[in-house]
Amino acid sequence: HHQTRPSTTDDAATASPALTVPALTALGYHLASLPVEPRVGKLLLVGTLLGLAGPTLTLAAVMTAARSPFVAPLDQRELADAKRRDLAVAFSDHLTAVAAYDA
């Protein structure tokens, strides 16, 4: 016959490691306080620390936007493509979008 013992408050202290929640790192603490995805939050924090708040905020907006800034109606697609080529930065879609917002 198997006997079970009632649970006590001490059981929580001796819970298996799989049930414990690790402490957050300093970065994790700050990321948890931001209402954005962790990768965007890290971009914002690091960019600000490097003194690049303006371009970083623009890039974060580009990364979280529902669509590309180069989306255009069919009758203006050639113009949008030409503008994208004019603003192209070092083979980077992200930096090209930042340049478009800064233009």
Side-chain angles (χ1 to χ4, degrees), residues 22-34 38 41-42 45-46 49:
L24 292 174
T25 63
L27 175 61
Y29 174 80
H30 291 291
L31 290 176
S33 71
L34 296 173
K42 188 173 181 181
L45 291 173
V46 172
L49 288 172

Side-chain angles (χ1 to χ4, degrees), residues 6-77:
S7 118
T8 65
T9 55
D10 290 337
D11 288 341
T14 60
S16 70
L19 299 177
T20 59
V21 177
L24 292 174
T25 63
L27 175 61
Y29 174 80
H30 291 291
L31 290 176
S33 71
L34 296 173
V36 295
E37 296 175 13
R39 68 188 182 108
V40 176
K42 188 173 181 181
L43 169 72
L44 292 170
L45 291 173
V46 172
T48 301
L49 288 172
L50 294 174
L52 300 168
T56 300
L57 287 168
T58 303
L59 182 54
V62 167
M63 292 172 62
T64 58
R67 62 185 191 157
S68 165
F70 298 103
V71 171
L74 285 175
D75 62 329
Q76 295 180 351
R77 189 148 302 165

